Amino acid sequence: MRARLFWKLGLTYGALLLVVLLAVQLYTARVIRSQAIRSANDQLASLLSLTLANPPRSDDPAELRDWTGRAARSGARVTIIDHTGRVLVDSEADADKMENHANRPEVQDAFARGTGQSVHRSVTFGRELVYRAQRYDRAGSDPIVVRLAVPLSQIDLSLVELRQRLLIATLVVLLSGGLVSFAFARIFAARVQRLQRFSQRIAEGDFRPLLREGPRDELSDLADSLNQTAARLDREIRLLSGERNRSSAILRSMVEGVAVIDAEERLVFYNRAFSEILIVESANAEGRPLIEVVRNSDLVGLIRRALRGDEGLQSDITMGITQTRSFSITAAPVKALDAPASGRDPQAKPSGAVVVLHDVTELRRLERVRQDFVANVSHEFKTPLTAIQGFAETLLAGALDDPENNRRFLEIIRNHAIRLARLTNDLLKLARIEAGKMEVEFSSVSLLELIEGCTETTLLKANRKEITLEITVPPQLPAVRGDAALLRDVLQNLLDNAIQYTPARGHISVSATAGPREAVVTVADTGIGIPLADSERIFERFYRVDAARSREAGGTGLGLSIAKHIVEAHGGKLWVESTVGQGSRFSFSLPLDS
């Protein structure tokens, strides 16, 4: 760029200087020639005046020749021409051999106006002369014209000498002017090159200011403007980069899946949650068509509706086969920002769309649990209340006086009332636990004492069903940290369930092991077992594997749910391993007392 600009400027200035010098030379030569011709005309006019002061007296050729010879002593060529254009006498040529001069412009002007002048090439001598002619009116005879002429050869010699001098001066001026022009072009090109490199740095993101150099002129003003532009661009880009980084950080840290799709249905942005939800390969997904990344037809259809300009789009979809997940989807079109709102076509196609996927799996599960809870509570309360109401009405209808049945009816009413009280107490306890209002008094608890206390209570029930109860606890089992009363409720619930669901002459074992940080208590039975599908929901409220047997035993369906909350409040975990027809193993872990 610098070389091209340098040669362009240098050659342009040199060419302009050459043109100007040539024009000056030509104009000067023309002016000098014109002045020389004018001076010759003035000289010839003076000579004519002196010559005609003593005009020829007759038409005698000899006398005319003598008069012409005397007039030619002034150094001018003298010619006498009659009214017909015939040359009578010429001081330097034979008049008889000369052609008619009636068509000469100076002769014509002289006959017409009295005087005439011209510059033209002489046919007789073959060179250019300056002519001046004057009419002389003779008394009693036709007028004649006396013409004087001087050659231009002397003028031409002067002009040649002048042109040579002008040429030398022109070369000197051209050389010096060319050097100055090329030096100026070099300096100018260097300054322009600095501005070009500075603008290139700005384009590449380097906004360091350009140091001021050279004189104060338009280029320095341009450099100042570029410095101001670079400073402003630096501020704006820093601001935009900060906003973009903050927006990107917010979007990428959101638990909701967020994605941006352009008007050509290509994925231009998505966060980590979106890639995890749709199992998108984060390496090369950006820029790919939406249909290659998203395999859910409902989601693709919703996004396409947003790209058509539909507002307020929201829908729920379910993904997965073995473990389904529910998502609430919101899609909105992105309007273009390259035109003012007043001039934008309301029917214009959006430039893209934004889609947000919110995982509502847990919310839907909680809604389902709430619905099941309401249904189960209603069912659990309805059965004893119906029984109490029915037997009470029977007693009021006359059975109260029946000595054989009234006591049995009252015992049934009492048993159902006890069941309602137990159910109410369990619901209140579960509500306090889930509300975080359960009071836990931590202390050092001996697992051996805890297990022995609970098995003594269970032993009577086990003997009734001829179930053997085995305890396997290491003698040096360390103590755990917890609430002894609440832990007793947990273990007792597990033992009661084992007794309840183990057939007669079965076997129940209670064991405990200790690790470096926690102890594990296990209650194993040889009962009916729990199907795999039920084992995932066994800890839900009111969920029973065998609802009829549970009600016959007086269970509320809340024991395992309460036990799980208590264990988790102690920082432990409760789980089950079961095989249908072979039995179940309920285990819970507790942190050791450090």
Side-chain angles (χ1 to χ4, degrees):
M1 178 265 179
R2 181 177 179 181
R4 291 197 301 271
L5 182 60
F6 167 71
W7 285 110
K8 285 181 180 179
L9 290 174
L11 293 177
T12 300
Y13 287 139
L16 289 175
L17 183 61
L18 178 61
V19 170
V20 170
L21 292 175
L22 290 177
V24 168
Q25 185 178 7
L26 293 176
Y27 177 76
T28 303
R30 186 178 296 275
V31 169
I32 292 176
R33 179 182 174 87
S34 299
Q35 290 179 351
I37 293 174
R38 190 179 303 113
S39 177
N41 279 320
D42 293 341
Q43 180 184 0
L44 292 176
S46 299
L47 289 176
L48 277 173
S49 298
L50 292 175
T51 302
L52 292 178
N54 186 18
R57 300 297 180 184
S58 64
D59 292 337
D60 181 47
E63 185 177 353
L64 288 175
R65 197 176 297 112
D66 292 336
W67 183 87
T68 302
R70 291 193 301 271
R73 293 174 183 173
S74 62
R77 176 188 176 190
V78 181
T79 306
I80 299 176
I81 305 166
D82 65 7
H83 68 282
T84 63
R86 184 173 64 86
V87 178
L88 299 177
V89 178
D90 188 271
S91 62
E92 296 183 4
D94 186 0
D96 296 334
K97 296 180 179 179
M98 296 177 64
E99 61 183 12
N100 191 285
H101 282 38
N103 60 346
R104 299 295 192 271
E106 69 276 5
V107 175
Q108 293 177 352
D109 291 340
F111 279 117
R113 293 191 295 269
T115 60
Q117 63 183 21
S118 68
V119 179
H120 59 82
R121 185 177 184 82
S122 172
V123 177
T124 304
F125 296 99
R127 57 184 179 177
E128 201 170 20
L129 301 174
V130 179
Y131 297 94
R132 187 171 183 85
Q134 185 169 343
R135 185 184 64 196
Y136 174 67
D137 297 322
R138 296 179 297 180
S141 180
D142 295 326
I144 61 173
V145 169
V146 178
R147 188 184 71 174
L148 300 182
V150 293
L152 281 176
S153 58
Q154 189 66 32
I155 298 175
D156 291 338
L157 291 175
S158 300
L159 286 176
V160 170
E161 183 179 357
L162 177 62
R163 284 175 178 172
Q164 290 177 351
R165 293 179 180 179
L166 285 177
L167 179 60
I168 295 173
T170 299
L171 293 177
V172 172
V173 174
L174 181 63
L175 181 60
S176 58
L179 293 177
V180 173
S181 299
F182 277 92
F184 172 76
R186 188 178 187 85
I187 296 173
F188 185 84
R191 295 180 66 188
V192 173
Q193 178 70 14
R194 290 180 63 248
L195 293 177
Q196 188 270 339
R197 288 197 301 266
F198 179 54
S199 63
Q200 184 66 30
R201 284 200 293 110
I202 293 177
E204 294 174 356
D206 185 358
F207 300 104
R208 290 175 299 169
L210 181 66
L211 298 179
R212 181 178 296 176
E213 294 181 3
R216 292 294 304 174
D217 54 10
E218 287 77 5
L219 286 181
S220 62
D221 294 340
L222 177 59
D224 293 340
S225 299
L226 287 176
N227 280 333
Q228 296 175 4
T229 303
R232 184 171 181 179
L233 283 175
D234 189 19
R235 291 194 301 269
E236 295 292 335
I237 290 177
R238 288 179 184 274
L239 180 62
L240 291 176
S241 297
E243 299 233 350
R244 182 194 61 186
N245 293 336
R246 284 193 294 271
S247 300
S248 179
I250 292 172
L251 290 175
R252 293 187 185 280
S253 62
M254 288 176 61
V255 295
E256 292 83 3
V258 181
V260 180
I261 297 91
D262 62 11
E264 284 73 29
E265 296 188 8
R266 293 185 177 275
L267 187 65
V268 297
F269 171 82
Y270 61 95
N271 61 356
R272 181 175 55 84
F274 184 86
S275 64
E276 292 177 352
I277 291 172
L278 297 178
I279 314 177
V280 176
E281 296 181 2
S282 58
N284 56 356
E286 290 187 356
R288 292 174 56 190
L290 177 66
I291 196 65
E292 295 182 5
V293 180
V294 179
R295 302 296 183 178
N296 189 286
S297 59
D298 296 335
L299 178 57
V300 173
L302 196 70
I303 294 174
R304 286 176 174 172
R305 288 178 56 192
L307 290 175
R308 290 196 296 267
D310 294 351
E311 300 278 356
L313 298 176
Q314 188 171 5
S315 179
D316 291 345
I317 63 172
T318 301
M319 297 183 182
I321 300 176
T322 57
Q323 293 184 347
T324 59
R325 299 174 65 187
S326 300
F327 296 93
S328 176
I329 304 176
T330 302
V334 177
K335 301 298 183 180
L337 299 178
D338 55 353
S342 58
R344 186 185 299 121
D345 184 6
Q347 303 297 327
K349 187 178 179 181
S351 61
V354 176
V355 59
V356 179
L357 280 72
H358 182 66
D359 192 347
V360 294
T361 304
E362 184 64 17
L363 181 61
R364 297 290 182 265
R365 188 190 69 81
L366 292 176
E367 290 179 355
R368 186 170 60 253
V369 170
R370 180 182 59 81
Q371 294 172 356
D372 294 343
F373 174 75
V374 173
N376 290 330
V377 167
S378 301
H379 183 73
E380 293 294 336
F381 273 91
K382 182 178 180 181
T383 299
L385 287 175
T386 301
I388 291 173
Q389 181 182 0
F391 284 107
E393 290 176 353
T394 301
L395 291 172
L396 292 174
L400 186 61
D401 298 329
D402 185 359
E404 295 182 1
N405 296 314
N406 56 8
R407 184 176 181 85
R408 184 171 61 86
F409 290 165
L410 290 174
E411 289 178 353
I412 294 174
I413 291 174
R414 184 193 63 184
N415 292 336
H416 283 288
I418 293 172
R419 181 181 174 191
L420 281 176
R422 188 186 305 113
L423 182 60
T424 303
N425 290 333
D426 287 347
L427 285 173
L428 291 175
K429 182 185 295 185
L430 185 60
R432 286 197 301 271
I433 293 174
E434 292 182 345
K437 297 180 179 181
M438 181 178 62
E439 297 179 359
V440 181
E441 298 180 359
F442 287 97
S443 61
S444 180
V445 179
S446 172
L447 285 180
L448 181 59
E449 295 179 0
L450 177 67
I451 294 173
E452 289 178 349
C454 291
T455 53
E456 287 179 1
T457 305
T458 310
L459 188 58
L460 181 59
K461 298 178 183 179
N463 291 334
R464 290 176 184 173
K465 297 181 66 174
E466 299 181 1
I467 295 174
T468 58
L469 187 59
E470 179 184 1
I471 301 174
T472 307
V473 179
Q476 301 298 327
L477 186 65
V480 296
R481 182 169 179 79
D483 189 315
L486 295 176
L487 294 178
R488 187 178 298 107
D489 291 341
V490 173
L491 183 56
Q492 191 63 54
N493 182 273
L494 296 179
L495 289 172
D496 290 343
N497 286 341
I499 293 294
Q500 179 181 345
Y501 292 102
T502 300
R505 293 181 296 277
H507 178 77
I508 297 174
S509 64
V510 181
S511 61
T513 59
R517 295 184 179 179
E518 62 182 10
V520 178
V521 179
T522 302
V523 177
D525 61 56
T526 58
I528 61 176
I530 303 172
L532 180 61
D534 294 325
S535 62
E536 297 179 358
R537 301 187 59 191
I538 195 67
F539 299 105
E540 294 180 7
R541 293 171 292 186
F542 294 113
Y543 190 84
R544 299 183 179 93
V545 178
D546 190 343
R549 178 177 296 186
S550 177
R551 291 193 184 94
E552 290 176 359
T556 62
L558 300 174
L560 287 178
S561 180
I562 295 173
K564 181 179 181 182
H565 283 290
I566 292 174
V567 171
E568 290 178 351
H570 282 74
K573 179 182 178 183
L574 175 61
W575 68 93
V576 62
E577 299 172 357
S578 181
T579 303
V580 177
Q582 297 182 13
S584 304
R585 289 173 56 87
F586 283 86
S587 304
F588 64 92
S589 61
L590 296 170
L592 298 179
D593 185 20
S594 57

mmCIF file of all heavy atoms in Angstrom, residues 164-191:
data_model
loop_
_atom_site.group_PDB
_atom_site.id
_atom_site.type_symbol
_atom_site.label_atom_id
_atom_site.label_comp_id
_atom_site.label_asym_id
_atom_site.label_seq_id
_atom_site.Cartn_x
_atom_site.Cartn_y
_atom_site.Cartn_z
ATOM 1 N N GLN A 164 16.146 27.039 -25.422
ATOM 2 C CA GLN A 164 17.213 26.231 -24.820
ATOM 3 C C GLN A 164 17.412 26.593 -23.357
ATOM 4 O O GLN A 164 17.557 25.720 -22.495
ATOM 5 C CB GLN A 164 18.510 26.438 -25.607
ATOM 6 C CG GLN A 164 18.496 25.827 -27.002
ATOM 7 C CD GLN A 164 19.751 26.116 -27.771
ATOM 8 O OE1 GLN A 164 20.585 26.927 -27.333
ATOM 9 N NE2 GLN A 164 19.912 25.458 -28.936
ATOM 10 N N ARG A 165 17.392 27.898 -23.085
ATOM 11 C CA ARG A 165 17.539 28.319 -21.706
ATOM 12 C C ARG A 165 16.341 27.867 -20.845
ATOM 13 O O ARG A 165 16.502 27.425 -19.712
ATOM 14 C CB ARG A 165 17.691 29.843 -21.650
ATOM 15 C CG ARG A 165 18.998 30.345 -22.281
ATOM 16 C CD ARG A 165 19.078 31.842 -22.212
ATOM 17 N NE ARG A 165 20.337 32.334 -22.822
ATOM 18 C CZ ARG A 165 20.666 33.623 -22.912
ATOM 19 N NH1 ARG A 165 19.843 34.562 -22.456
ATOM 20 N NH2 ARG A 165 21.793 33.970 -23.462
ATOM 21 N N LEU A 166 15.129 28.015 -21.452
ATOM 22 C CA LEU A 166 13.945 27.572 -20.727
ATOM 23 C C LEU A 166 13.984 26.064 -20.476
ATOM 24 O O LEU A 166 13.536 25.570 -19.421
ATOM 25 C CB LEU A 166 12.674 27.941 -21.497
ATOM 26 C CG LEU A 166 12.258 29.408 -21.455
ATOM 27 C CD1 LEU A 166 11.024 29.626 -22.335
ATOM 28 C CD2 LEU A 166 11.936 29.824 -20.013
ATOM 29 N N LEU A 167 14.480 25.307 -21.464
ATOM 30 C CA LEU A 167 14.565 23.865 -21.307
ATOM 31 C C LEU A 167 15.503 23.493 -20.160
ATOM 32 O O LEU A 167 15.197 22.617 -19.322
ATOM 33 C CB LEU A 167 15.027 23.216 -22.607
ATOM 34 C CG LEU A 167 15.175 21.688 -22.583
ATOM 35 C CD1 LEU A 167 13.828 21.035 -22.244
ATOM 36 C CD2 LEU A 167 15.701 21.177 -23.916
ATOM 37 N N ILE A 168 16.653 24.185 -20.096
ATOM 38 C CA ILE A 168 17.588 23.916 -18.994
ATOM 39 C C ILE A 168 16.959 24.268 -17.663
ATOM 40 O O ILE A 168 17.031 23.504 -16.688
ATOM 41 C CB ILE A 168 18.890 24.699 -19.224
ATOM 42 C CG1 ILE A 168 19.608 24.192 -20.487
ATOM 43 C CG2 ILE A 168 19.804 24.576 -18.008
ATOM 44 C CD1 ILE A 168 20.823 25.021 -20.873
ATOM 45 N N ALA A 169 16.301 25.435 -17.644
ATOM 46 C CA ALA A 169 15.632 25.833 -16.403
ATOM 47 C C ALA A 169 14.519 24.860 -16.041
ATOM 48 O O ALA A 169 14.314 24.516 -14.869
ATOM 49 C CB ALA A 169 15.084 27.253 -16.542
ATOM 50 N N THR A 170 13.805 24.404 -17.105
ATOM 51 C CA THR A 170 12.723 23.442 -16.851
ATOM 52 C C THR A 170 13.264 22.151 -16.272
ATOM 53 O O THR A 170 12.693 21.578 -15.328
ATOM 54 C CB THR A 170 11.967 23.153 -18.157
ATOM 55 O OG1 THR A 170 11.396 24.368 -18.640
ATOM 56 C CG2 THR A 170 10.866 22.126 -17.937
ATOM 57 N N LEU A 171 14.352 21.638 -16.812
ATOM 58 C CA LEU A 171 14.939 20.405 -16.291
ATOM 59 C C LEU A 171 15.400 20.573 -14.847
ATOM 60 O O LEU A 171 15.215 19.692 -14.015
ATOM 61 C CB LEU A 171 16.108 19.978 -17.179
ATOM 62 C CG LEU A 171 15.746 19.526 -18.603
ATOM 63 C CD1 LEU A 171 17.013 19.211 -19.403
ATOM 64 C CD2 LEU A 171 14.823 18.309 -18.544
ATOM 65 N N VAL A 172 16.008 21.745 -14.567
ATOM 66 C CA VAL A 172 16.474 21.975 -13.198
ATOM 67 C C VAL A 172 15.294 22.037 -12.238
ATOM 68 O O VAL A 172 15.279 21.405 -11.174
ATOM 69 C CB VAL A 172 17.315 23.273 -13.140
ATOM 70 C CG1 VAL A 172 17.637 23.626 -11.683
ATOM 71 C CG2 VAL A 172 18.586 23.129 -13.945
ATOM 72 N N VAL A 173 14.287 22.828 -12.639
ATOM 73 C CA VAL A 173 13.096 22.937 -11.781
ATOM 74 C C VAL A 173 12.390 21.595 -11.655
ATOM 75 O O VAL A 173 11.922 21.206 -10.583
ATOM 76 C CB VAL A 173 12.147 24.022 -12.327
ATOM 77 C CG1 VAL A 173 10.846 24.041 -11.547
ATOM 78 C CG2 VAL A 173 12.818 25.381 -12.266
ATOM 79 N N LEU A 174 12.302 20.843 -12.793
ATOM 80 C CA LEU A 174 11.636 19.544 -12.760
ATOM 81 C C LEU A 174 12.369 18.580 -11.851
ATOM 82 O O LEU A 174 11.746 17.831 -11.065
ATOM 83 C CB LEU A 174 11.544 18.977 -14.179
ATOM 84 C CG LEU A 174 10.837 17.624 -14.315
ATOM 85 C CD1 LEU A 174 9.387 17.748 -13.882
ATOM 86 C CD2 LEU A 174 10.923 17.134 -15.754
ATOM 87 N N LEU A 175 13.699 18.570 -11.897
ATOM 88 C CA LEU A 175 14.468 17.669 -11.065
ATOM 89 C C LEU A 175 14.311 18.015 -9.581
ATOM 90 O O LEU A 175 14.017 17.151 -8.747
ATOM 91 C CB LEU A 175 15.945 17.713 -11.466
ATOM 92 C CG LEU A 175 16.889 16.795 -10.679
ATOM 93 C CD1 LEU A 175 16.466 15.338 -10.847
ATOM 94 C CD2 LEU A 175 18.333 17.006 -11.132
ATOM 95 N N SER A 176 14.518 19.308 -9.287
ATOM 96 C CA SER A 176 14.380 19.710 -7.879
ATOM 97 C C SER A 176 12.947 19.551 -7.399
ATOM 98 O O SER A 176 12.689 19.059 -6.292
ATOM 99 C CB SER A 176 14.839 21.163 -7.716
ATOM 100 O OG SER A 176 14.065 22.020 -8.557
ATOM 101 N N GLY A 177 11.995 19.964 -8.269
ATOM 102 C CA GLY A 177 10.588 19.794 -7.883
ATOM 103 C C GLY A 177 10.198 18.338 -7.744
ATOM 104 O O GLY A 177 9.414 17.960 -6.869
ATOM 105 N N GLY A 178 10.749 17.480 -8.623
ATOM 106 C CA GLY A 178 10.462 16.054 -8.512
ATOM 107 C C GLY A 178 10.995 15.475 -7.223
ATOM 108 O O GLY A 178 10.323 14.660 -6.563
ATOM 109 N N LEU A 179 12.225 15.880 -6.857
ATOM 110 C CA LEU A 179 12.773 15.387 -5.584
ATOM 111 C C LEU A 179 11.922 15.834 -4.410
ATOM 112 O O LEU A 179 11.615 15.048 -3.498
ATOM 113 C CB LEU A 179 14.221 15.894 -5.428
ATOM 114 C CG LEU A 179 15.239 15.317 -6.426
ATOM 115 C CD1 LEU A 179 16.606 15.960 -6.210
ATOM 116 C CD2 LEU A 179 15.339 13.793 -6.263
ATOM 117 N N VAL A 180 11.520 17.101 -4.433
ATOM 118 C CA VAL A 180 10.661 17.599 -3.349
ATOM 119 C C VAL A 180 9.321 16.867 -3.348
ATOM 120 O O VAL A 180 8.795 16.483 -2.292
ATOM 121 C CB VAL A 180 10.458 19.125 -3.494
ATOM 122 C CG1 VAL A 180 9.437 19.620 -2.475
ATOM 123 C CG2 VAL A 180 11.776 19.853 -3.309
ATOM 124 N N SER A 181 8.762 16.643 -4.547
ATOM 125 C CA SER A 181 7.465 15.957 -4.644
ATOM 126 C C SER A 181 7.566 14.532 -4.131
ATOM 127 O O SER A 181 6.706 14.063 -3.375
ATOM 128 C CB SER A 181 6.980 15.958 -6.096
ATOM 129 O OG SER A 181 6.805 17.284 -6.556
ATOM 130 N N PHE A 182 8.638 13.825 -4.527
ATOM 131 C CA PHE A 182 8.783 12.453 -4.072
ATOM 132 C C PHE A 182 9.061 12.388 -2.566
ATOM 133 O O PHE A 182 8.603 11.482 -1.870
ATOM 134 C CB PHE A 182 9.897 11.758 -4.850
ATOM 135 C CG PHE A 182 9.451 11.210 -6.169
ATOM 136 C CD1 PHE A 182 9.559 11.966 -7.319
ATOM 137 C CD2 PHE A 182 8.895 9.944 -6.258
ATOM 138 C CE1 PHE A 182 9.137 11.473 -8.532
ATOM 139 C CE2 PHE A 182 8.464 9.443 -7.478
ATOM 140 C CZ PHE A 182 8.580 10.208 -8.627
ATOM 141 N N ALA A 183 9.799 13.381 -2.039
ATOM 142 C CA ALA A 183 10.026 13.416 -0.595
ATOM 143 C C ALA A 183 8.712 13.660 0.143
ATOM 144 O O ALA A 183 8.405 13.002 1.144
ATOM 145 C CB ALA A 183 11.054 14.497 -0.257
ATOM 146 N N PHE A 184 7.930 14.608 -0.357
ATOM 147 C CA PHE A 184 6.626 14.861 0.262
ATOM 148 C C PHE A 184 5.727 13.639 0.146
ATOM 149 O O PHE A 184 5.015 13.274 1.098
ATOM 150 C CB PHE A 184 5.971 16.072 -0.407
ATOM 151 C CG PHE A 184 4.557 16.294 0.028
ATOM 152 C CD1 PHE A 184 4.268 16.845 1.263
ATOM 153 C CD2 PHE A 184 3.508 15.935 -0.809
ATOM 154 C CE1 PHE A 184 2.951 17.036 1.669
ATOM 155 C CE2 PHE A 184 2.199 16.125 -0.413
ATOM 156 C CZ PHE A 184 1.918 16.680 0.834
ATOM 157 N N ALA A 185 5.734 12.997 -1.031
ATOM 158 C CA ALA A 185 4.898 11.807 -1.216
ATOM 159 C C ALA A 185 5.320 10.697 -0.261
ATOM 160 O O ALA A 185 4.472 9.963 0.276
ATOM 161 C CB ALA A 185 4.985 11.326 -2.667
ATOM 162 N N ARG A 186 6.632 10.576 -0.042
ATOM 163 C CA ARG A 186 7.118 9.537 0.875
ATOM 164 C C ARG A 186 6.649 9.809 2.305
ATOM 165 O O ARG A 186 6.191 8.912 3.003
ATOM 166 C CB ARG A 186 8.641 9.480 0.821
ATOM 167 C CG ARG A 186 9.247 8.323 1.586
ATOM 168 C CD ARG A 186 10.749 8.293 1.449
ATOM 169 N NE ARG A 186 11.306 7.097 2.039
ATOM 170 C CZ ARG A 186 11.422 5.935 1.424
ATOM 171 N NH1 ARG A 186 11.028 5.820 0.168
ATOM 172 N NH2 ARG A 186 11.942 4.875 2.024
ATOM 173 N N ILE A 187 6.779 11.073 2.737
ATOM 174 C CA ILE A 187 6.327 11.428 4.086
ATOM 175 C C ILE A 187 4.814 11.237 4.213
ATOM 176 O O ILE A 187 4.315 10.674 5.192
ATOM 177 C CB ILE A 187 6.726 12.881 4.400
ATOM 178 C CG1 ILE A 187 8.257 13.014 4.432
ATOM 179 C CG2 ILE A 187 6.129 13.330 5.729
ATOM 180 C CD1 ILE A 187 8.730 14.449 4.575
ATOM 181 N N PHE A 188 4.081 11.685 3.214
ATOM 182 C CA PHE A 188 2.622 11.561 3.249
ATOM 183 C C PHE A 188 2.192 10.095 3.253
ATOM 184 O O PHE A 188 1.308 9.686 4.006
ATOM 185 C CB PHE A 188 2.030 12.298 2.037
ATOM 186 C CG PHE A 188 0.534 12.333 2.028
ATOM 187 C CD1 PHE A 188 -0.151 13.298 2.735
ATOM 188 C CD2 PHE A 188 -0.200 11.394 1.301
ATOM 189 C CE1 PHE A 188 -1.538 13.328 2.735
ATOM 190 C CE2 PHE A 188 -1.578 11.418 1.292
ATOM 191 C CZ PHE A 188 -2.248 12.396 2.010
ATOM 192 N N ALA A 189 2.856 9.287 2.392
ATOM 193 C CA ALA A 189 2.508 7.864 2.340
ATOM 194 C C ALA A 189 2.832 7.166 3.649
ATOM 195 O O ALA A 189 2.098 6.282 4.101
ATOM 196 C CB ALA A 189 3.254 7.194 1.178
ATOM 197 N N ALA A 190 3.955 7.580 4.286
ATOM 198 C CA ALA A 190 4.301 6.970 5.573
ATOM 199 C C ALA A 190 3.251 7.285 6.632
ATOM 200 O O ALA A 190 2.863 6.425 7.430
ATOM 201 C CB ALA A 190 5.676 7.453 6.020
ATOM 202 N N ARG A 191 2.758 8.521 6.645
ATOM 203 C CA ARG A 191 1.726 8.890 7.626
ATOM 204 C C ARG A 191 0.414 8.150 7.343
ATOM 205 O O ARG A 191 -0.255 7.687 8.266
ATOM 206 C CB ARG A 191 1.503 10.400 7.584
ATOM 207 C CG ARG A 191 2.719 11.208 8.015
ATOM 208 C CD ARG A 191 2.437 12.687 7.959
ATOM 209 N NE ARG A 191 1.427 13.061 8.946
ATOM 210 C CZ ARG A 191 0.877 14.278 9.010
ATOM 211 N NH1 ARG A 191 1.250 15.216 8.141
ATOM 212 N NH2 ARG A 191 -0.029 14.542 9.926
#
